[in-house]
Amino acid sequence: DIVMTQSPLSLTVTPGEPASISCRSSQSLLYSNGYNYLGWYLQKPGQSPQLLIYLGSNRASGVPDRFSGSESGTDFTLKISRVEAGDVGIYYCMQALQTPYSFGQGTKLEIK
Amino acid sequence: EVQLVESGGGLVQPGGSLRLSCAASGFTFNSYEMNWVRQAPGKGLQWLSYISDSGDTIQYADSVKGRFTISRDNAKNSLYLHMNSLRAEDTAVYYCARERGYNIFDYWGQGTPVTVSS
């Protein structure tokens, strides 16, 4: 099974400042089509998860361009260029290369 | 508008059974794969089960294999999770999630809570 490891597990950021979350997979998530099957999801307080980034670096529809995803081998990064108050919540990475699909532990983002 | 609405959660005794439903609307249900994901209180997300658009292919997490059964009724635009031999550790909010191409979970329901306790 693929294990996903996120860091940090919590993050406190001043509005307007950048934020970065890392996710490492225990094995490659690269499929034969050239895509990494890695997604980022945000669960805002009291809500269900919502898709932010898919295939490692593609923003989902309606996601502000402040959010970006990058990939390097088995290391993945979610960056928020300028954090806003509405970005609070728990961010999860998820591998969807093979079942059992698996999530990282989650990174809680709070505003200073 | 895509909507996924879970129902069927509640309080059940250890060893009991429950059937969760996920009613889909706003899209062609029989063209999409579906999944169940759960979240224990204060914990992270855990994938449970997958079913293909036709229902022919099914996958489970080891933690629920043999106890939970995923199914769908494309005529009723509905997804189900039959849960048997429930344990305290199955206490969680259960979400259904639509899977589009490239195994992307693009829409999630609001979740239905399940509590397993005597």
Side-chain angles (χ1 to χ4, degrees), chain A residues 1 33 35 37 41 43 47-51 54-55 92 94 96-97 99-101 103 105, chain B residues 35 37 39 43-47 50 59 62 95 99-100 102-106 108-110:
Chain A
D1 296 359
N33 58 13
Y35 292 112
Y37 278 46
Y41 297 83
Q43 186 174 33
Q47 297 185 17
S48 54
Q50 60 187 81
L51 175 67
Y54 62 93
L55 298 177
Y92 295 93
M94 182 193 120
L97 180 68
T99 58
Y101 297 149
F103 294 88
Q105 312 97 301
Chain B
N35 290 266
V37 176
Q39 185 170 37
K43 302 296 184 182
L45 301 170
Q46 180 189 18
W47 173 82
Y50 157 93
Q59 300 283 348
D62 285 347
Y95 298 99
E99 181 178 325
R100 72 173 211 222
Y102 301 107
N103 303 355
I104 297 163
F105 289 18
D106 60 348
W108 299 61
Q110 86 291 347

Side-chain angles (χ1 to χ4, degrees), chain A residues 71-92:
Chain A
E71 317 149 87
S72 178
T74 58
D75 291 326
F76 302 88
T77 303
L78 175 70
K79 292 184 179 177
I80 310 173
S81 59
R82 299 174 305 281
V83 170
E84 296 181 358
D87 298 336
V88 298
I90 303 176
Y91 292 78
Y92 295 93

Side-chain angles (χ1 to χ4, degrees), chain A residues 20-31:
Chain A
S20 180
I21 300 170
S22 296
C23 175
R24 175 170 290 176
S25 58
S26 62
Q27 61 191 74
S28 174
L29 302 183
L30 189 63
Y31 189 56

Side-chain angles (χ1 to χ4, degrees), chain B residues 1-5 23-28 98 107-108:
Chain B
E1 179 194 4
V2 171
Q3 282 200 316
L4 297 171
V5 179
S25 61
F27 65 100
T28 305
R98 189 180 85 164
Y107 285 94
W108 299 61

Side-chain angles (χ1 to χ4, degrees), chain B residues 70-111:
Chain B
I70 191 172
S71 63
R72 64 191 297 161
D73 185 335
N74 285 341
K76 294 183 177 179
N77 291 337
S78 292
L79 173 72
Y80 305 102
L81 186 68
H82 301 254
M83 305 186 296
N84 295 322
S85 304
L86 283 162
R87 308 164 180 166
E89 54 265 36
D90 294 318
T91 295
V93 174
Y94 286 72
Y95 298 99
C96 60
R98 189 180 85 164
E99 181 178 325
R100 72 173 211 222
Y102 301 107
N103 303 355
I104 297 163
F105 289 18
D106 60 348
Y107 285 94
W108 299 61
Q110 86 291 347

